[in-house]
mmCIF file with all atom_site columns, all heavy atoms in Angstrom:
data_model
loop_
_atom_site.group_PDB
_atom_site.id
_atom_site.type_symbol
_atom_site.label_atom_id
_atom_site.label_alt_id
_atom_site.label_comp_id
_atom_site.label_asym_id
_atom_site.label_entity_id
_atom_site.label_seq_id
_atom_site.pdbx_PDB_ins_code
_atom_site.Cartn_x
_atom_site.Cartn_y
_atom_site.Cartn_z
_atom_site.occupancy
_atom_site.B_iso_or_equiv
_atom_site.pdbx_formal_charge
_atom_site.auth_seq_id
_atom_site.auth_comp_id
_atom_site.auth_asym_id
_atom_site.auth_atom_id
_atom_site.pdbx_PDB_model_num
ATOM 1   N N   . LEU A 1 1  ? -72.244  -50.778 130.676 1.00 0.00 ? 134 LEU A N   1
ATOM 2   C CA  . LEU A 1 1  ? -73.176  -50.851 131.802 1.00 0.00 ? 134 LEU A CA  1
ATOM 3   C C   . LEU A 1 1  ? -74.268  -51.903 131.618 1.00 0.00 ? 134 LEU A C   1
ATOM 4   O O   . LEU A 1 1  ? -74.798  -52.430 132.599 1.00 0.00 ? 134 LEU A O   1
ATOM 5   C CB  . LEU A 1 1  ? -73.833  -49.475 132.023 1.00 0.00 ? 134 LEU A CB  1
ATOM 6   C CG  . LEU A 1 1  ? -72.895  -48.377 132.517 1.00 0.00 ? 134 LEU A CG  1
ATOM 7   C CD1 . LEU A 1 1  ? -73.571  -47.020 132.393 1.00 0.00 ? 134 LEU A CD1 1
ATOM 8   C CD2 . LEU A 1 1  ? -72.463  -48.653 133.946 1.00 0.00 ? 134 LEU A CD2 1
ATOM 9   N N   . TRP A 1 2  ? -74.622  -52.223 130.372 1.00 0.00 ? 135 TRP A N   1
ATOM 10  C CA  . TRP A 1 2  ? -75.751  -53.106 130.089 1.00 0.00 ? 135 TRP A CA  1
ATOM 11  C C   . TRP A 1 2  ? -75.695  -54.448 130.828 1.00 0.00 ? 135 TRP A C   1
ATOM 12  O O   . TRP A 1 2  ? -76.709  -54.894 131.391 1.00 0.00 ? 135 TRP A O   1
ATOM 13  C CB  . TRP A 1 2  ? -75.910  -53.298 128.583 1.00 0.00 ? 135 TRP A CB  1
ATOM 14  C CG  . TRP A 1 2  ? -77.128  -54.076 128.210 1.00 0.00 ? 135 TRP A CG  1
ATOM 15  C CD1 . TRP A 1 2  ? -77.173  -55.337 127.700 1.00 0.00 ? 135 TRP A CD1 1
ATOM 16  C CD2 . TRP A 1 2  ? -78.496  -53.665 128.340 1.00 0.00 ? 135 TRP A CD2 1
ATOM 17  N NE1 . TRP A 1 2  ? -78.483  -55.731 127.486 1.00 0.00 ? 135 TRP A NE1 1
ATOM 18  C CE2 . TRP A 1 2  ? -79.308  -54.714 127.879 1.00 0.00 ? 135 TRP A CE2 1
ATOM 19  C CE3 . TRP A 1 2  ? -79.112  -52.503 128.801 1.00 0.00 ? 135 TRP A CE3 1
ATOM 20  C CZ2 . TRP A 1 2  ? -80.697  -54.650 127.862 1.00 0.00 ? 135 TRP A CZ2 1
ATOM 21  C CZ3 . TRP A 1 2  ? -80.497  -52.434 128.786 1.00 0.00 ? 135 TRP A CZ3 1
ATOM 22  C CH2 . TRP A 1 2  ? -81.274  -53.492 128.325 1.00 0.00 ? 135 TRP A CH2 1
ATOM 23  N N   . PRO A 1 3  ? -74.559  -55.150 130.878 1.00 0.00 ? 136 PRO A N   1
ATOM 24  C CA  . PRO A 1 3  ? -74.533  -56.443 131.577 1.00 0.00 ? 136 PRO A CA  1
ATOM 25  C C   . PRO A 1 3  ? -74.946  -56.345 133.053 1.00 0.00 ? 136 PRO A C   1
ATOM 26  O O   . PRO A 1 3  ? -75.488  -57.308 133.603 1.00 0.00 ? 136 PRO A O   1
ATOM 27  C CB  . PRO A 1 3  ? -73.077  -56.899 131.449 1.00 0.00 ? 136 PRO A CB  1
ATOM 28  C CG  . PRO A 1 3  ? -72.599  -56.226 130.200 1.00 0.00 ? 136 PRO A CG  1
ATOM 29  C CD  . PRO A 1 3  ? -73.279  -54.874 130.200 1.00 0.00 ? 136 PRO A CD  1
ATOM 30  N N   . ALA A 1 4  ? -74.733  -55.200 133.686 1.00 0.00 ? 137 ALA A N   1
ATOM 31  C CA  . ALA A 1 4  ? -75.096  -55.020 135.095 1.00 0.00 ? 137 ALA A CA  1
ATOM 32  C C   . ALA A 1 4  ? -76.610  -54.954 135.306 1.00 0.00 ? 137 ALA A C   1
ATOM 33  O O   . ALA A 1 4  ? -77.088  -54.980 136.436 1.00 0.00 ? 137 ALA A O   1
ATOM 34  C CB  . ALA A 1 4  ? -74.432  -53.763 135.655 1.00 0.00 ? 137 ALA A CB  1
ATOM 35  N N   . THR A 1 5  ? -77.376  -54.897 134.211 1.00 0.00 ? 138 THR A N   1
ATOM 36  C CA  . THR A 1 5  ? -78.840  -54.831 134.316 1.00 0.00 ? 138 THR A CA  1
ATOM 37  C C   . THR A 1 5  ? -79.498  -56.203 134.141 1.00 0.00 ? 138 THR A C   1
ATOM 38  O O   . THR A 1 5  ? -80.725  -56.284 134.136 1.00 0.00 ? 138 THR A O   1
ATOM 39  C CB  . THR A 1 5  ? -79.423  -53.854 133.267 1.00 0.00 ? 138 THR A CB  1
ATOM 40  O OG1 . THR A 1 5  ? -79.243  -54.397 131.947 1.00 0.00 ? 138 THR A OG1 1
ATOM 41  C CG2 . THR A 1 5  ? -78.776  -52.488 133.360 1.00 0.00 ? 138 THR A CG2 1
ATOM 42  N N   . GLU A 1 6  ? -78.704  -57.239 134.027 1.00 0.00 ? 139 GLU A N   1
ATOM 43  C CA  . GLU A 1 6  ? -79.244  -58.596 133.848 1.00 0.00 ? 139 GLU A CA  1
ATOM 44  C C   . GLU A 1 6  ? -80.318  -58.879 134.896 1.00 0.00 ? 139 GLU A C   1
ATOM 45  O O   . GLU A 1 6  ? -80.127  -58.632 136.077 1.00 0.00 ? 139 GLU A O   1
ATOM 46  C CB  . GLU A 1 6  ? -78.125  -59.640 133.971 1.00 0.00 ? 139 GLU A CB  1
ATOM 47  C CG  . GLU A 1 6  ? -78.570  -61.053 133.751 1.00 0.00 ? 139 GLU A CG  1
ATOM 48  C CD  . GLU A 1 6  ? -78.933  -61.352 132.313 1.00 0.00 ? 139 GLU A CD  1
ATOM 49  O OE1 . GLU A 1 6  ? -78.261  -60.828 131.406 1.00 0.00 ? 139 GLU A OE1 1
ATOM 50  O OE2 . GLU A 1 6  ? -79.900  -62.093 132.087 1.00 0.00 ? 139 GLU A OE2 1
ATOM 51  N N   . GLY A 1 7  ? -81.483  -59.356 134.445 1.00 0.00 ? 140 GLY A N   1
ATOM 52  C CA  . GLY A 1 7  ? -82.583  -59.650 135.344 1.00 0.00 ? 140 GLY A CA  1
ATOM 53  C C   . GLY A 1 7  ? -83.448  -58.453 135.694 1.00 0.00 ? 140 GLY A C   1
ATOM 54  O O   . GLY A 1 7  ? -84.380  -58.569 136.492 1.00 0.00 ? 140 GLY A O   1
ATOM 55  N N   . ALA A 1 8  ? -83.143  -57.300 135.104 1.00 0.00 ? 141 ALA A N   1
ATOM 56  C CA  . ALA A 1 8  ? -83.899  -56.072 135.412 1.00 0.00 ? 141 ALA A CA  1
ATOM 57  C C   . ALA A 1 8  ? -84.070  -55.249 134.142 1.00 0.00 ? 141 ALA A C   1
ATOM 58  O O   . ALA A 1 8  ? -83.635  -54.099 134.057 1.00 0.00 ? 141 ALA A O   1
ATOM 59  C CB  . ALA A 1 8  ? -83.180  -55.271 136.488 1.00 0.00 ? 141 ALA A CB  1
ATOM 60  N N   . ARG A 1 9  ? -84.683  -55.859 133.138 1.00 0.00 ? 142 ARG A N   1
ATOM 61  C CA  . ARG A 1 9  ? -84.785  -55.219 131.825 1.00 0.00 ? 142 ARG A CA  1
ATOM 62  C C   . ARG A 1 9  ? -86.209  -55.245 131.284 1.00 0.00 ? 142 ARG A C   1
ATOM 63  O O   . ARG A 1 9  ? -86.980  -56.140 131.620 1.00 0.00 ? 142 ARG A O   1
ATOM 64  C CB  . ARG A 1 9  ? -83.882  -55.933 130.822 1.00 0.00 ? 142 ARG A CB  1
ATOM 65  C CG  . ARG A 1 9  ? -82.427  -55.880 131.166 1.00 0.00 ? 142 ARG A CG  1
ATOM 66  C CD  . ARG A 1 9  ? -81.610  -56.683 130.181 1.00 0.00 ? 142 ARG A CD  1
ATOM 67  N NE  . ARG A 1 9  ? -80.199  -56.612 130.515 1.00 0.00 ? 142 ARG A NE  1
ATOM 68  C CZ  . ARG A 1 9  ? -79.296  -57.451 130.066 1.00 0.00 ? 142 ARG A CZ  1
ATOM 69  N NH1 . ARG A 1 9  ? -79.651  -58.433 129.237 1.00 0.00 ? 142 ARG A NH1 1
ATOM 70  N NH2 . ARG A 1 9  ? -78.032  -57.317 130.424 1.00 0.00 ? 142 ARG A NH2 1
ATOM 71  N N   . VAL A 1 10 ? -86.498  -54.280 130.406 1.00 0.00 ? 143 VAL A N   1
ATOM 72  C CA  . VAL A 1 10 ? -87.702  -54.303 129.588 1.00 0.00 ? 143 VAL A CA  1
ATOM 73  C C   . VAL A 1 10 ? -87.306  -53.943 128.162 1.00 0.00 ? 143 VAL A C   1
ATOM 74  O O   . VAL A 1 10 ? -86.356  -53.176 127.936 1.00 0.00 ? 143 VAL A O   1
ATOM 75  C CB  . VAL A 1 10 ? -88.815  -53.334 130.074 1.00 0.00 ? 143 VAL A CB  1
ATOM 76  C CG1 . VAL A 1 10 ? -89.360  -53.757 131.411 1.00 0.00 ? 143 VAL A CG1 1
ATOM 77  C CG2 . VAL A 1 10 ? -88.343  -51.908 130.111 1.00 0.00 ? 143 VAL A CG2 1
ATOM 78  N N   . THR A 1 11 ? -88.015  -54.536 127.220 1.00 0.00 ? 144 THR A N   1
ATOM 79  C CA  . THR A 1 11 ? -87.863  -54.156 125.818 1.00 0.00 ? 144 THR A CA  1
ATOM 80  C C   . THR A 1 11 ? -89.252  -53.802 125.305 1.00 0.00 ? 144 THR A C   1
ATOM 81  O O   . THR A 1 11 ? -90.251  -54.413 125.699 1.00 0.00 ? 144 THR A O   1
ATOM 82  C CB  . THR A 1 11 ? -87.254  -55.293 124.971 1.00 0.00 ? 144 THR A CB  1
ATOM 83  O OG1 . THR A 1 11 ? -88.070  -56.453 125.079 1.00 0.00 ? 144 THR A OG1 1
ATOM 84  C CG2 . THR A 1 11 ? -85.829  -55.605 125.397 1.00 0.00 ? 144 THR A CG2 1
ATOM 85  N N   . LYS A 1 12 ? -89.275  -52.801 124.465 1.00 0.00 ? 145 LYS A N   1
ATOM 86  C CA  . LYS A 1 12 ? -90.553  -52.302 123.971 1.00 0.00 ? 145 LYS A CA  1
ATOM 87  C C   . LYS A 1 12 ? -90.347  -51.519 122.693 1.00 0.00 ? 145 LYS A C   1
ATOM 88  O O   . LYS A 1 12 ? -89.228  -51.169 122.333 1.00 0.00 ? 145 LYS A O   1
ATOM 89  C CB  . LYS A 1 12 ? -91.237  -51.430 125.031 1.00 0.00 ? 145 LYS A CB  1
ATOM 90  C CG  . LYS A 1 12 ? -90.356  -50.272 125.537 1.00 0.00 ? 145 LYS A CG  1
ATOM 91  C CD  . LYS A 1 12 ? -90.962  -49.625 126.768 1.00 0.00 ? 145 LYS A CD  1
ATOM 92  C CE  . LYS A 1 12 ? -90.071  -48.521 127.318 1.00 0.00 ? 145 LYS A CE  1
ATOM 93  N NZ  . LYS A 1 12 ? -90.648  -47.894 128.511 1.00 0.00 ? 145 LYS A NZ  1
ATOM 94  N N   . SER A 1 13 ? -91.442  -51.257 122.024 1.00 0.00 ? 146 SER A N   1
ATOM 95  C CA  . SER A 1 13 ? -91.455  -50.370 120.868 1.00 0.00 ? 146 SER A CA  1
ATOM 96  C C   . SER A 1 13 ? -92.215  -49.123 121.296 1.00 0.00 ? 146 SER A C   1
ATOM 97  O O   . SER A 1 13 ? -93.297  -49.228 121.878 1.00 0.00 ? 146 SER A O   1
ATOM 98  C CB  . SER A 1 13 ? -92.169  -51.024 119.683 1.00 0.00 ? 146 SER A CB  1
ATOM 99  O OG  . SER A 1 13 ? -91.453  -52.165 119.269 1.00 0.00 ? 146 SER A OG  1
ATOM 100 N N   . ARG A 1 14 ? -91.633  -47.955 121.032 1.00 0.00 ? 147 ARG A N   1
ATOM 101 C CA  . ARG A 1 14 ? -92.255  -46.696 121.446 1.00 0.00 ? 147 ARG A CA  1
ATOM 102 C C   . ARG A 1 14 ? -92.758  -45.945 120.222 1.00 0.00 ? 147 ARG A C   1
ATOM 103 O O   . ARG A 1 14 ? -92.032  -45.765 119.239 1.00 0.00 ? 147 ARG A O   1
ATOM 104 C CB  . ARG A 1 14 ? -91.264  -45.845 122.219 1.00 0.00 ? 147 ARG A CB  1
ATOM 105 C CG  . ARG A 1 14 ? -91.826  -44.474 122.581 1.00 0.00 ? 147 ARG A CG  1
ATOM 106 C CD  . ARG A 1 14 ? -91.055  -43.798 123.649 1.00 0.00 ? 147 ARG A CD  1
ATOM 107 N NE  . ARG A 1 14 ? -91.561  -44.288 124.940 1.00 0.00 ? 147 ARG A NE  1
ATOM 108 C CZ  . ARG A 1 14 ? -91.226  -43.749 126.103 1.00 0.00 ? 147 ARG A CZ  1
ATOM 109 N NH1 . ARG A 1 14 ? -90.385  -42.736 126.151 1.00 0.00 ? 147 ARG A NH1 1
ATOM 110 N NH2 . ARG A 1 14 ? -91.721  -44.231 127.219 1.00 0.00 ? 147 ARG A NH2 1
ATOM 111 N N   . TYR A 1 15 ? -94.000  -45.510 120.313 1.00 0.00 ? 148 TYR A N   1
ATOM 112 C CA  . TYR A 1 15 ? -94.652  -44.732 119.257 1.00 0.00 ? 148 TYR A CA  1
ATOM 113 C C   . TYR A 1 15 ? -94.973  -43.340 119.795 1.00 0.00 ? 148 TYR A C   1
ATOM 114 O O   . TYR A 1 15 ? -95.471  -43.218 120.914 1.00 0.00 ? 148 TYR A O   1
ATOM 115 C CB  . TYR A 1 15 ? -95.970  -45.386 118.829 1.00 0.00 ? 148 TYR A CB  1
ATOM 116 C CG  . TYR A 1 15 ? -95.834  -46.775 118.269 1.00 0.00 ? 148 TYR A CG  1
ATOM 117 C CD1 . TYR A 1 15 ? -95.724  -47.875 119.103 1.00 0.00 ? 148 TYR A CD1 1
ATOM 118 C CD2 . TYR A 1 15 ? -95.837  -46.985 116.899 1.00 0.00 ? 148 TYR A CD2 1
ATOM 119 C CE1 . TYR A 1 15 ? -95.620  -49.162 118.595 1.00 0.00 ? 148 TYR A CE1 1
ATOM 120 C CE2 . TYR A 1 15 ? -95.737  -48.273 116.375 1.00 0.00 ? 148 TYR A CE2 1
ATOM 121 C CZ  . TYR A 1 15 ? -95.627  -49.349 117.231 1.00 0.00 ? 148 TYR A CZ  1
ATOM 122 O OH  . TYR A 1 15 ? -95.531  -50.613 116.712 1.00 0.00 ? 148 TYR A OH  1
ATOM 123 N N   . ALA A 1 16 ? -94.710  -42.323 119.007 1.00 0.00 ? 149 ALA A N   1
ATOM 124 C CA  . ALA A 1 16 ? -95.094  -40.955 119.355 1.00 0.00 ? 149 ALA A CA  1
ATOM 125 C C   . ALA A 1 16 ? -96.369  -40.624 118.592 1.00 0.00 ? 149 ALA A C   1
ATOM 126 O O   . ALA A 1 16 ? -96.402  -40.700 117.363 1.00 0.00 ? 149 ALA A O   1
ATOM 127 C CB  . ALA A 1 16 ? -93.985  -39.974 118.999 1.00 0.00 ? 149 ALA A CB  1
ATOM 128 N N   . VAL A 1 17 ? -97.431  -40.282 119.337 1.00 0.00 ? 150 VAL A N   1
ATOM 129 C CA  . VAL A 1 17 ? -98.736  -39.998 118.744 1.00 0.00 ? 150 VAL A CA  1
ATOM 130 C C   . VAL A 1 17 ? -99.135  -38.571 119.106 1.00 0.00 ? 150 VAL A C   1
ATOM 131 O O   . VAL A 1 17 ? -99.199  -38.226 120.301 1.00 0.00 ? 150 VAL A O   1
ATOM 132 C CB  . VAL A 1 17 ? -99.802  -40.993 119.253 1.00 0.00 ? 150 VAL A CB  1
ATOM 133 C CG1 . VAL A 1 17 ? -101.164 -40.654 118.678 1.00 0.00 ? 150 VAL A CG1 1
ATOM 134 C CG2 . VAL A 1 17 ? -99.404  -42.427 118.922 1.00 0.00 ? 150 VAL A CG2 1
ATOM 135 N N   . ALA A 1 18 ? -99.372  -37.752 118.099 1.00 0.00 ? 151 ALA A N   1
ATOM 136 C CA  . ALA A 1 18 ? -99.812  -36.371 118.340 1.00 0.00 ? 151 ALA A CA  1
ATOM 137 C C   . ALA A 1 18 ? -101.252 -36.378 118.833 1.00 0.00 ? 151 ALA A C   1
ATOM 138 O O   . ALA A 1 18 ? -102.116 -37.035 118.253 1.00 0.00 ? 151 ALA A O   1
ATOM 139 C CB  . ALA A 1 18 ? -99.685  -35.544 117.069 1.00 0.00 ? 151 ALA A CB  1
ATOM 140 N N   . LEU A 1 19 ? -101.501 -35.644 119.908 1.00 0.00 ? 152 LEU A N   1
ATOM 141 C CA  . LEU A 1 19 ? -102.847 -35.511 120.446 1.00 0.00 ? 152 LEU A CA  1
ATOM 142 C C   . LEU A 1 19 ? -103.471 -34.213 119.942 1.00 0.00 ? 152 LEU A C   1
ATOM 143 O O   . LEU A 1 19 ? -102.742 -33.268 119.595 1.00 0.00 ? 152 LEU A O   1
ATOM 144 C CB  . LEU A 1 19 ? -102.815 -35.525 121.980 1.00 0.00 ? 152 LEU A CB  1
ATOM 145 C CG  . LEU A 1 19 ? -102.295 -36.809 122.616 1.00 0.00 ? 152 LEU A CG  1
ATOM 146 C CD1 . LEU A 1 19 ? -102.221 -36.678 124.128 1.00 0.00 ? 152 LEU A CD1 1
ATOM 147 C CD2 . LEU A 1 19 ? -103.177 -37.985 122.229 1.00 0.00 ? 152 LEU A CD2 1
ATOM 148 N N   . PRO A 1 20 ? -104.795 -34.112 119.911 1.00 0.00 ? 153 PRO A N   1
ATOM 149 C CA  . PRO A 1 20 ? -105.457 -32.901 119.398 1.00 0.00 ? 153 PRO A CA  1
ATOM 150 C C   . PRO A 1 20 ? -105.073 -31.621 120.135 1.00 0.00 ? 153 PRO A C   1
ATOM 151 O O   . PRO A 1 20 ? -105.093 -30.540 119.549 1.00 0.00 ? 153 PRO A O   1
ATOM 152 C CB  . PRO A 1 20 ? -106.948 -33.208 119.588 1.00 0.00 ? 153 PRO A CB  1
ATOM 153 C CG  . PRO A 1 20 ? -107.045 -34.687 119.615 1.00 0.00 ? 153 PRO A CG  1
ATOM 154 C CD  . PRO A 1 20 ? -105.760 -35.173 120.230 1.00 0.00 ? 153 PRO A CD  1
ATOM 155 N N   . ASP A 1 21 ? -104.691 -31.725 121.416 1.00 0.00 ? 154 ASP A N   1
ATOM 156 C CA  . ASP A 1 21 ? -104.335 -30.520 122.181 1.00 0.00 ? 154 ASP A CA  1
ATOM 157 C C   . ASP A 1 21 ? -102.885 -30.090 121.968 1.00 0.00 ? 154 ASP A C   1
ATOM 158 O O   . ASP A 1 21 ? -102.392 -29.180 122.627 1.00 0.00 ? 154 ASP A O   1
ATOM 159 C CB  . ASP A 1 21 ? -104.615 -30.723 123.671 1.00 0.00 ? 154 ASP A CB  1
ATOM 160 C CG  . ASP A 1 21 ? -103.729 -31.775 124.321 1.00 0.00 ? 154 ASP A CG  1
ATOM 161 O OD1 . ASP A 1 21 ? -102.863 -32.369 123.634 1.00 0.00 ? 154 ASP A OD1 1
ATOM 162 O OD2 . ASP A 1 21 ? -103.896 -32.014 125.537 1.00 0.00 ? 154 ASP A OD2 1
ATOM 163 N N   . GLY A 1 22 ? -102.165 -30.763 121.048 1.00 0.00 ? 155 GLY A N   1
ATOM 164 C CA  . GLY A 1 22 ? -100.778 -30.401 120.757 1.00 0.00 ? 155 GLY A CA  1
ATOM 165 C C   . GLY A 1 22 ? -99.754  -31.185 121.553 1.00 0.00 ? 155 GLY A C   1
ATOM 166 O O   . GLY A 1 22 ? -98.559  -31.106 121.277 1.00 0.00 ? 155 GLY A O   1
ATOM 167 N N   . ARG A 1 23 ? -100.178 -31.937 122.523 1.00 0.00 ? 156 ARG A N   1
ATOM 168 C CA  . ARG A 1 23 ? -99.253  -32.760 123.309 1.00 0.00 ? 156 ARG A CA  1
ATOM 169 C C   . ARG A 1 23 ? -98.899  -34.022 122.521 1.00 0.00 ? 156 ARG A C   1
ATOM 170 O O   . ARG A 1 23 ? -99.555  -34.365 121.549 1.00 0.00 ? 156 ARG A O   1
ATOM 171 C CB  . ARG A 1 23 ? -99.890  -33.181 124.626 1.00 0.00 ? 156 ARG A CB  1
ATOM 172 C CG  . ARG A 1 23 ? -100.246 -32.044 125.530 1.00 0.00 ? 156 ARG A CG  1
ATOM 173 C CD  . ARG A 1 23 ? -100.771 -32.569 126.865 1.00 0.00 ? 156 ARG A CD  1
ATOM 174 N NE  . ARG A 1 23 ? -101.584 -31.579 127.535 1.00 0.00 ? 156 ARG A NE  1
ATOM 175 C CZ  . ARG A 1 23 ? -101.121 -30.477 128.109 1.00 0.00 ? 156 ARG A CZ  1
ATOM 176 N NH1 . ARG A 1 23 ? -99.844  -30.212 128.088 1.00 0.00 ? 156 ARG A NH1 1
ATOM 177 N NH2 . ARG A 1 23 ? -101.936 -29.631 128.701 1.00 0.00 ? 156 ARG A NH2 1
ATOM 178 N N   . THR A 1 24 ? -97.871  -34.706 122.998 1.00 0.00 ? 157 THR A N   1
ATOM 179 C CA  . THR A 1 24 ? -97.473  -35.977 122.403 1.00 0.00 ? 157 THR A CA  1
ATOM 180 C C   . THR A 1 24 ? -97.711  -37.088 123.403 1.00 0.00 ? 157 THR A C   1
ATOM 181 O O   . THR A 1 24 ? -97.316  -36.988 124.572 1.00 0.00 ? 157 THR A O   1
ATOM 182 C CB  . THR A 1 24 ? -95.987  -35.948 121.995 1.00 0.00 ? 157 THR A CB  1
ATOM 183 O OG1 . THR A 1 24 ? -95.780  -34.903 121.056 1.00 0.00 ? 157 THR A OG1 1
ATOM 184 C CG2 . THR A 1 24 ? -95.550  -37.273 121.393 1.00 0.00 ? 157 THR A CG2 1
ATOM 185 N N   . ALA A 1 25 ? -98.369  -38.135 122.959 1.00 0.00 ? 158 ALA A N   1
ATOM 186 C CA  . ALA A 1 25 ? -98.554  -39.338 123.757 1.00 0.00 ? 158 ALA A CA  1
ATOM 187 C C   . ALA A 1 25 ? -97.484  -40.330 123.341 1.00 0.00 ? 158 ALA A C   1
ATOM 188 O O   . ALA A 1 25 ? -97.263  -40.549 122.150 1.00 0.00 ? 158 ALA A O   1
ATOM 189 C CB  . ALA A 1 25 ? -99.948  -39.917 123.523 1.00 0.00 ? 158 ALA A CB  1
ATOM 190 N N   . HIS A 1 26 ? -96.797  -40.910 124.321 1.00 0.00 ? 159 HIS A N   1
ATOM 191 C CA  . HIS A 1 26 ? -95.783  -41.923 124.045 1.00 0.00 ? 159 HIS A CA  1
ATOM 192 C C   . HIS A 1 26 ? -96.374  -43.285 124.375 1.00 0.00 ? 159 HIS A C   1
ATOM 193 O O   . HIS A 1 26 ? -96.618  -43.594 125.550 1.00 0.00 ? 159 HIS A O   1
ATOM 194 C CB  . HIS A 1 26 ? -94.509  -41.658 124.844 1.00 0.00 ? 159 HIS A CB  1
ATOM 195 C CG  . HIS A 1 26 ? -93.846  -40.380 124.451 1.00 0.00 ? 159 HIS A CG  1
ATOM 196 N ND1 . HIS A 1 26 ? -93.081  -40.255 123.313 1.00 0.00 ? 159 HIS A ND1 1
ATOM 197 C CD2 . HIS A 1 26 ? -93.871  -39.157 125.013 1.00 0.00 ? 159 HIS A CD2 1
ATOM 198 C CE1 . HIS A 1 26 ? -92.653  -39.021 123.203 1.00 0.00 ? 159 HIS A CE1 1
ATOM 199 N NE2 . HIS A 1 26 ? -93.130  -38.332 124.214 1.00 0.00 ? 159 HIS A NE2 1
#
């Protein structure tokens, strides 16, 4: 499927950060 996304892509690095209230921030 990847070739069909040409021209409509993002690349990123995702970090999971624990918040004081127990939630996770991405």
Side-chain angles (χ1 to χ4, degrees):
L134 292 167
W135 186 250
T138 68
E139 182 70 37
R142 298 176 179 162
V143 294
T144 57
K145 55 192 177 180
S146 296
R147 175 163 275 190
Y148 299 82
V150 178
L152 297 176
D154 66 1
R156 298 185 202 288
T157 301
H159 296 282

